[in-house]
């Protein structure tokens, strides 16, 4: 017996026990080797026609002997080659072949790393290789138990090519090697990893009865990958069908993108945007990433490094001839070529989105409805590194347009609204926005009244991430983002002369909010705003994430509102109750819960609606002599003070 070379022994142990997490890929490796051998023979047959043949790979399953045989009529190996190629790990014959011929053809060869063959020992405790080299008459057998070494002896083989015979390990608890003897299992593995091998992979069918001696085979791979086909070769809906099958989605994708790139890196990408997120998209179970193929052989099912996280909803495959088949996950993450591919793919997807936005708005909005959140997340995430790539792909609901708009459209709209002669406002008018749960709720916000009156546009931010994006972008085309509910929004004609009242209200609010007059409101008496950097919406989002960042609240008061004018005349508990009601009204409008003291205050005020009080109010409206109504009001007040004092203390 010849011993494996010392370093090979160590490597063999490594391969069998660690490099491949997935046992099942042994089949992929052996089929890929067979396919390489077929490539080599086909290449030689170009100059030596005696070597041409019906190239194929055959798989036979033998339950009685617990064996799997993978045969090819490829180039085969001589005695010396068996020893050299299979005796030393990492002495990849394929690599040597590639060096020997400077042919473009060589690029297609899958194997580059030289450990694939040994993956057979993950499932087999004995591997027999019978091979006859093209152009030679003798065949040889290479036999090994994978531990110490191997034997080589003369053998018989009718034609040139190679048989790899695996004698499977015994089943051991969870490790059910006999599963690999089931034809459905083998079909599944071929479909999964080797469907696009360019030669037919034939599975031998069991004889139908004892007298049936003729061997029958089923071709179990589809050979040409859909992404390698030219547009004209594609059947109707073929891409859709591929998507549905590959991603177990009964709906056709919203659209697909094909990208063929040649240059410093070479790859073909076939990408799909689903029509709806898959059922597990929002769960931890969802595996984002694209399937990575190396010359038609799948090397990773969900390669996350191929698309940025924010495009995690995009499905598809990338096929490249630039990566080694056996590259490990860890190495992949840092591979320069992979980075280049992923950058190319990101660019391609975004440019296709931009095209769609321009040419098929309806479809784009459909897509944005499903995955817009992801794009927004992308604009905000990682300290906004992608914001400039993404800002023109975002849509927000616009108050004055009455539909979704891009920031560009919003800004162009501002120019129309602002009078032509007002040059400064034209270039500097802020992009106003308001936050809330739904567009309906936002449209009812008191803060919008002034904007409505002026005809200013307001973007409706219904998602928590929206305002974070605005903060991240700061401005768009010179127009700054401004929250209509922020205390910083300027009131051009700030009403004077109500300072006393405002301070009284502020005193009652006891630090819950500061109080300021505003001209922003028309039909509403008050609204809530925030001063400084943290808006009310941000405070909410942050607290939902467990951060206690506090917004500096400001109760903005419309001093021209009748309710506020009335407030001036109220005293004591009645004034306090009225302020409580108004403050809670502002809370409600912003989507907050009311305070506990709200309902008692409302009930007390409603209790004031006695016939006498109503009379008093009616009298006031009739402009009766002032003294009458005043007396009434004071009487009412006295009652309330008594009643409440008794209950509360
Ligand atoms: P790689 O495929 O990366 O070169 P492997 O460990 O998979 O490494 O295979 C080692 C070498 O054994 C191959 O390079 C090839 O020269 C030879 N070999 C393996 N399988 C076959 C086969 N079916 N026919 C001919 N040569 C083969
Ligand atoms: Mg190989």
């Amino acid at each position: 017996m010849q011993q494996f070379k010392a370093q090979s022994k160590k490597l063999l142990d490594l391969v069998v026990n660690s490099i491949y997490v997935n046992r099942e890929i042994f089949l992929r490796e052996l089929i890929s080797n067979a396919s390489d051998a077929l490539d080599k023979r086909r290449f030689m047959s170009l100059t030596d026609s005696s070597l041409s043949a019906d190239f194929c790979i055959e798989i036979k399953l033998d339950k009685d002997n617990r064996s799997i045989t993978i045969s090819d009529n490829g180039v085969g190996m001589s005695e010396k080659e068996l020893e050299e190629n299979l005796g030393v790990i990492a002495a990849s014959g394929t690599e040597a072949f590639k060096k020997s011929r400077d042919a473009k053809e060589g690029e297609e060869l899958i194997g580059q790393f030289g450990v694939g063959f040994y993956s057979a020992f993950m499932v087999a405790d004995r591997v027999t290789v019978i091979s006859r080299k093209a152009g030679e008459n003798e065949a040889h057998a290479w036999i090994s138990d994978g531990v110490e070494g191997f034997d080589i002896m003369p053998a018989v083989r009718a034609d040139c090519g190679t048989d790899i015979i695996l004698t499977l390990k015994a089943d051991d608890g969870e490790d059910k090697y006999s599963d690999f003897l089931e034809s459905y299992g083998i079909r599944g593995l071929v479909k999964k990893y080797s469907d696009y091998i360019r030669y037919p992979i034939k599975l031998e069918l069991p004889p139908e009865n004892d007298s049936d001696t003729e061997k029958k085979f089923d071709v179990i791979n589809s050979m040409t990958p859909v992404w390698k086909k030219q547009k004209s070769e594609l059947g109707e809906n073929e891409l859709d069908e591929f998507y549905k099958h590959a991603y177990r989605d009964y709906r056709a994708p919203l659209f697909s993108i094909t990208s063929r790139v040649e240059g410093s890196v070479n790859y073909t990408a076939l990408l799909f945007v689903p029509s709806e997120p898959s059922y597990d998209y929002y769960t931890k179970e969802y595996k984002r990433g694209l399937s990575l193929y190396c010359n038609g052989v799948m090397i990773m099912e969900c390669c996350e490094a191929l698309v940025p996280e924010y495009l995690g909803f995009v499905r598809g495959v990338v096929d490249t001839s630039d990566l080694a088949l056996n590259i490990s996950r860890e190495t992949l993450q840092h591979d320069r070529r992979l980075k280049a591919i992923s950058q190319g793919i990101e660019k391609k997807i975004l440019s296709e989105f931009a095209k769609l936005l321009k040419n098929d708005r309806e479809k784009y909005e459909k897509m944005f409805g499903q995955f817009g959140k992801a794009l927004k997340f992308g604009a905000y995430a990682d300290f906004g590194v992608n914001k400039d790539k993404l800002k023109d792909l975002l849509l927000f609901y616009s108050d004055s347009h009455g539909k979704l708009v891009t920031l560009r459209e919003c800004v162009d709209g501002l120019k129309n609204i602002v009078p032509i002669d007002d040059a400064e406002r034209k270039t500097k008018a802020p992009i106003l926005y308001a936050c809330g749960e739904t567009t309906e709720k936002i449209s009812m916000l008191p803060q919008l009244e002034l904007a409505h009156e002026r005809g200013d546009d307001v973007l409706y931010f219904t998602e928590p991430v929206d305002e974070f994006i605005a903060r991240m972008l700061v401005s768009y085309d010179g127009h700054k983002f401004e929250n209509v509910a922020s205390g910083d929004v300027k009131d051009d004609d700030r009403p004077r002369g109500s300072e006393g009242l405002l301070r009284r209200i502020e005193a009652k609010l006891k630090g819950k909010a500061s109080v300021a007059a505003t001209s922003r409101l028309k039909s509403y008496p008050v609204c809530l705003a925030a001063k400084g950097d943290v808006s009310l919406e941000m405070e909410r989002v942050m607290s939902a994430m467990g951060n206690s960042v506090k917004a500096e609240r400001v109760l903005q008061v419309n001093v021209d509102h009748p309710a506020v004018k009335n407030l001036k005349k109220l005293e004591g508990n009645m004034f306090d109750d009225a302020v409580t009601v108004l403050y809670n009204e502002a809370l409600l409008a912003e989507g907050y819960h009311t305070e506990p003291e709200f309902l008692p205050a409302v009930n007390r005020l409603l209790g004031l609606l006695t016939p006498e009080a109503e009379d008093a109010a009616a009298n006031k409206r009739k402009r009766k002599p002032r003294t009458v109504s005043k007396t009434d009001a004071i009487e009412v007040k006295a009652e309330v003070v008594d009643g409440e004092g008794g209950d509360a203390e």
Side-chain angles (χ1 to χ4, degrees):
M1 177 184 278
Q2 299 191 46
Q3 301 281 307
F4 283 119
K5 299 262 158 58
Q7 96 269 25
S8 301
K9 258 191 210 167
K10 255 189 262 157
L11 263 171
L12 180 54
D13 194 54
L14 202 75
V15 170
V16 172
N17 296 307
S18 65
I19 289 191
Y20 296 113
V21 229
N22 255 354
R23 264 197 201 108
E24 62 188 30
I25 60 92
F26 78 91
L27 190 65
R28 171 191 91 178
E29 294 295 330
L30 297 180
I31 289 176
S32 296
N33 283 350
S35 167
D36 285 353
L38 291 168
D39 277 345
K40 288 177 196 166
R41 179 167 168 185
R42 198 181 48 126
F43 188 68
M44 290 156 82
S45 74
L46 298 177
T47 48
D48 178 356
S49 59
S50 72
L51 286 175
S52 48
D54 259 348
F55 300 121
C56 72
I57 298 164
E58 285 177 10
I59 302 175
K60 300 181 192 99
L61 305 175
D62 181 344
K63 282 190 183 164
D64 298 338
N65 295 311
R66 286 183 71 78
S67 76
I68 304 175
T69 305
I70 296 139
S71 306
D72 64 74
N73 52 355
V75 70
M77 281 174 277
S78 65
E79 180 175 10
K80 193 159 162 271
E81 285 170 330
L82 280 170
E83 187 184 327
E84 285 176 4
N85 295 341
L86 307 183
V88 187
I89 301 180
S92 171
T94 303
E95 197 62 39
F97 179 83
K98 269 170 92 171
K99 288 209 183 91
S100 72
R101 318 213 176 193
D102 190 19
K104 178 95 184 141
E105 203 103 347
E107 301 246 305
E108 296 276 292
L109 302 175
I110 299 157
Q112 286 183 336
F113 204 56
V115 289
F117 171 76
Y118 293 92
S119 64
F121 290 107
M122 295 194 295
V123 297
D125 47 22
R126 162 184 285 215
V127 177
T128 308
V129 180
I130 299 172
S131 195
R132 183 173 145 192
K133 189 178 164 82
E136 290 186 6
N137 294 323
E138 293 145 36
H140 292 89
W142 177 101
I143 304 169
S144 170
D145 61 4
V147 185
E148 288 303 322
F150 56 90
D151 288 309
I152 295 182
M153 57 198 71
V156 208
R157 201 179 192 282
D159 187 14
C160 66
T162 305
D163 308 304
I164 313 274
I165 304 155
L166 311 181
T167 310
L168 294 183
K169 293 181 184 176
D171 289 354
D172 178 13
E174 299 242 310
D175 296 331
K176 289 204 65 198
Y177 299 98
S178 49
D179 284 352
F180 295 123
L181 293 168
E182 300 296 338
S183 66
Y184 70 82
I186 295 296
R187 280 171 196 270
L189 291 182
V190 169
K191 247 294 105 357
K192 182 166 174 189
Y193 295 106
S194 314
D195 200 29
Y196 307 118
I197 289 284
R198 282 179 295 149
Y199 303 99
I201 301 171
K202 300 174 174 177
L203 181 65
E204 188 183 54
L205 301 172
E208 266 156 29
N209 50 54
D210 291 343
S211 61
D212 187 8
T213 51
E214 201 199 332
K215 286 186 177 164
K216 289 201 188 100
F217 290 92
D218 238 5
V219 175
I220 57 174
N221 62 327
S222 44
M223 289 181 266
T224 316
V226 275
W227 58 89
K228 285 266 165 95
K229 291 187 181 175
Q230 294 302 322
K231 250 203 181 115
S232 56
E233 295 173 283
L234 282 170
E236 203 189 335
N237 301 333
E238 195 170 337
L239 290 183
D240 287 0
E241 290 309 315
F242 168 78
Y243 164 84
K244 287 189 201 166
H245 173 83
Y247 301 102
R248 301 200 169 71
D249 192 348
Y250 63 92
R251 296 158 296 214
L254 200 58
F255 63 97
S256 59
I257 303 170
T258 315
S259 171
R260 292 197 172 85
V261 174
E262 276 171 39
S264 56
V265 284
N266 302 284
Y267 63 89
T268 305
L270 174 59
L271 310 167
F272 298 98
V273 174
S275 55
E276 276 173 43
S278 68
Y279 69 94
D280 59 351
Y281 179 65
Y282 294 106
T283 71
K284 281 208 182 88
E285 271 68 65
Y286 181 77
K287 287 208 189 77
R288 63 178 191 86
L290 306 174
S291 315
L292 179 61
Y293 283 76
C294 181
N295 283 328
V297 179
M298 192 181 81
I299 58 177
M300 199 186 288
E301 217 171 354
C302 296
C303 180
E304 296 189 351
L306 281 173
V307 269
E309 194 176 350
Y310 73 88
L311 291 174
F313 59 91
V314 178
R315 320 248 56 177
V317 304
V318 174
D319 194 346
T320 173
S321 51
D322 291 350
L323 292 174
L325 182 60
N326 300 314
I327 194 162
S328 77
R329 260 160 209 278
E330 291 70 34
T331 338
L332 259 184
Q333 300 295 332
H334 306 290
D335 193 281
R336 230 174 351 97
R337 291 156 299 182
L338 198 77
K339 259 203 192 107
I341 295 176
S342 102
Q343 281 165 357
I345 286 176
E346 179 183 15
K347 223 170 164 182
K348 176 74 180 174
I349 295 175
L350 296 186
S351 79
E352 287 294 319
F353 282 0
K355 249 192 242 164
L356 190 70
L357 175 61
K358 199 166 144 222
N359 302 330
D360 191 344
R361 179 69 170 235
E362 200 181 324
K363 205 175 207 179
Y364 186 84
E365 286 191 8
K366 211 164 155 191
M367 196 251 335
F368 197 82
Q370 300 293 349
F371 302 110
K373 239 189 216 155
L375 296 184
K376 288 175 178 177
F377 167 74
Y380 168 68
D382 299 327
F383 307 102
V385 281
N386 293 315
K387 63 181 183 210
D388 288 329
K389 288 187 230 170
L390 290 169
K391 63 183 178 195
D392 284 314
L393 292 172
L394 304 180
L395 299 177
F396 300 98
Y397 183 84
S398 146
D399 183 64
S400 62
H401 292 79
K403 59 178 180 151
L404 291 173
V405 294
T406 61
L407 293 175
R408 173 87 272 145
E409 288 161 350
C410 170
V411 162
D412 288 347
L414 292 182
K415 289 177 183 155
N416 294 334
I417 294 168
V418 177
I420 301 294
D421 54 305
D422 192 345
E424 199 199 340
R425 278 210 62 175
K426 231 171 121 166
T427 50
K428 294 238 182 86
I431 302 174
L432 295 175
Y433 65 86
C435 304
E437 261 171 73
T438 60
T439 47
E440 289 72 33
K441 282 192 185 169
I442 297 177
S443 70
M444 297 298 290
L445 280 178
Q447 287 92 336
L448 255 56
E449 290 199 303
L450 180 65
H452 279 153
E453 194 186 71
R454 283 206 198 138
D456 282 350
D457 193 9
V458 178
L459 296 182
Y460 288 10
F461 285 0
T462 49
E463 259 150 351
V465 67
D466 291 347
E467 189 174 21
F468 286 82
I469 293 172
R471 297 280 174 116
M472 189 67 83
L473 289 173
V474 183
S475 64
Y476 181 90
D477 196 15
H479 299 262
K480 280 208 170 127
F481 286 95
E482 256 179 38
N483 189 337
V484 292
S486 126
D488 292 343
V489 172
K490 294 196 186 38
D491 304 326
D492 340 39
D493 50 342
R494 216 185 156 94
R496 306 266 157 206
S498 306
E499 281 305 309
L501 174 67
L502 299 182
R503 297 292 76 83
R504 278 175 73 202
I505 299 174
E506 200 164 66
K508 159 64 189 154
L509 290 178
K510 290 192 191 103
K512 285 185 276 192
S514 59
V515 178
T518 183
S519 59
R520 174 154 66 196
L521 299 172
K522 299 298 157 195
S523 71
Y524 286 89
V526 289
C527 73
L528 205 59
K531 258 200 293 219
D533 281 343
V534 185
S535 74
L536 298 170
E537 187 59 24
M538 288 200 150
E539 177 190 275
R540 253 190 299 237
V541 174
M542 300 297 258
S543 86
M545 298 191 307
N547 287 322
S548 68
V549 181
K550 284 270 168 264
E552 247 184 277
R553 295 181 182 199
V554 185
L555 184 71
Q556 294 196 308
V557 179
N558 173 2
V559 289
D560 294 329
H561 194 279
V564 176
K565 283 187 170 157
N566 262 343
L567 207 56
K568 277 189 189 167
K569 299 173 205 145
L570 300 182
E571 301 285 343
N573 288 4
M574 206 166 157
F575 175 81
D576 288 353
D577 279 347
V579 171
T580 298
V581 168
L582 287 176
Y583 181 64
N584 278 274
E585 172 183 334
L587 287 177
L588 271 174
E590 270 300 312
Y592 288 100
H593 290 296
T594 53
E595 302 174 305
E597 56 261 47
F598 172 61
L599 291 180
V602 171
N603 291 336
R604 275 190 301 266
L605 290 180
L606 285 175
L608 292 178
L609 297 178
T610 54
E612 302 89 86
E614 273 185 44
D615 282 350
N619 285 337
K620 224 191 249 172
R621 255 178 264 130
K622 280 185 216 146
R623 291 181 173 274
K624 283 253 172 110
R626 275 194 119 200
T627 43
V628 179
S629 60
K630 212 175 183 181
T631 331
D632 283 351
I634 288 164
E635 268 173 31
V636 169
K637 190 193 78 190
E639 261 175 50
V640 173
V641 172
D642 290 342
E644 208 215 36
D647 283 342
E649 249 72 5

